[in-house]
Amino acid sequence: MTENEVMKTIMHRRAIRRFEEMQIAEDELGQILQAGMYAPSAGGRQGVIFAVCQDAKVNERLGKIKRANSNPHMATATSYVSKEQPSIADDPKIVNAFYDAPTVITMFALRNFLFSVDDCAVAAENMMIMADSLGIGSCYIGQGWTAFADPYGQEILKKWEIPDGYYAVMQLLLGYPRKEDKHPTAKPRKEKRILRF
Ligand SMILES: Cc1cc2nc3c(=O)[nH]c(=O)nc-3n(C[C@H](O)[C@H](O)[C@H](O)COP(=O)(O)O)c2cc1C
């Protein structure tokens, strides 16, 4: 077992989709955002915008729009995302693709920039690792734009004053994991993915 604290956090982090209602502490949110702000970015351009929404009504409405716009491959007995922390692909009864997370951070980046997705993804990983180290659960949500793909979503983009030319790459969900839940275990790693020459 490694003694390295970063490695321990990497190994411990799992996608969390079942959250306590209680909001995360402001200083912890600040540390998570700082981890995102200090992530690498292509060309050092620092183009990612982090829109933090803690308004439960807005998050629920956007999460429902996203669920309505998603058509995931539903789980089977042998192929599933998570039995312990079911995703929308595992449980058709889940109507909110943000799983009622108390904090939803939408990461926006330039539409016409080759590395927008990369920039958001590396920032998100920094933030997920930081969150885990603070005892906060996180979940990466891809295809962020689908949450805004209706008139209500468009109204929110205007209200948030998202600059022209930016689009929602992804969301990062944050919240305390439900106390009654056991921390999820990682699936076994698939082999033969490391090539050595
Ligand atoms: C690019 C990307 C997109 C993802 N999109 C979603 C998503 O839309 N909904 C969701 O519940 N989880 C999403 N996840 C989380 C994955 O399902 C999760 O990371 C994976 O099942 C492995 O579990 P682990 O993170 O606990 O190791 C996404 C993860 C990545 C990297």
Side-chain angles (χ1 to χ4, degrees):
M1 203 45 192
T2 180
E3 290 302 308
N4 180 282
E5 292 301 323
V6 177
M7 192 58 172
K8 276 193 214 164
T9 308
I10 288 171
M11 298 301 281
H12 184 262
R13 182 216 58 82
R14 297 270 71 78
I16 297 297
R17 302 184 183 87
R18 290 163 47 95
F19 299 99
E20 292 287 335
E21 242 175 75
M22 190 173 87
Q23 189 51 270
I24 62 173
E26 190 58 27
D27 70 307
E28 294 173 334
L29 173 64
Q31 292 181 67
I32 293 167
L33 288 167
Q34 193 180 12
M37 295 275 284
Y38 274 81
S41 65
R45 291 168 63 138
Q46 300 182 36
V48 177
I49 295 173
F50 303 85
V52 182
C53 184
Q54 296 186 315
D55 181 323
K57 286 204 179 80
V58 174
N59 284 338
E60 185 183 351
R61 206 149 161 199
L62 293 176
K64 284 183 172 170
I65 294 168
K66 183 165 177 67
R67 176 66 191 94
N69 285 327
S70 304
N71 187 17
H73 286 290
M74 295 309 286
T76 64
T78 52
S79 167
Y80 53 87
V81 179
S82 172
K83 288 197 195 297
E84 295 156 293
Q85 298 276 329
S87 76
I88 58 167
D90 298 310
D91 183 354
K93 291 192 295 299
I94 297 175
V95 293
N96 178 353
F98 297 159
Y99 309 103
D100 299 313
T103 296
V104 179
I105 303 179
T106 298
M107 285 153 73
F108 292 89
L110 276 174
R111 190 178 294 284
N112 293 322
F113 180 51
L114 198 55
F115 300 111
S116 284
V117 175
D118 312 57
D119 282 352
C120 291
V122 292
E125 180 64 4
N126 263 18
M127 293 162 87
M128 292 189 286
I129 297 301
M130 189 67 218
D132 185 274
S133 78
L134 296 168
I136 292 172
S138 67
C139 188
Y140 189 122
I141 304 291
Q143 299 189 316
W145 62 90
T146 57
F148 300 94
D150 87 348
Y152 177 77
Q154 294 299 304
E155 194 186 301
I156 292 292
L157 294 181
K158 277 208 196 86
K159 196 170 161 199
W160 289 357
E161 299 180 0
I162 302 303
D164 279 350
Y166 280 74
Y167 80 109
V169 176
M170 55 157 299
Q171 278 87 23
L172 186 70
L173 311 182
L174 296 171
Y176 296 116
R178 282 212 207 151
K179 283 198 189 75
E180 68 262 32
D181 289 344
K182 190 171 100 14
H183 189 69
T185 43
K187 285 180 183 167
R189 298 296 99 176
K190 290 187 178 168
E191 286 175 13
K192 297 186 183 149
R193 294 192 296 146
I194 297 175
L195 310 179
R196 300 281 307 265
F197 303 101

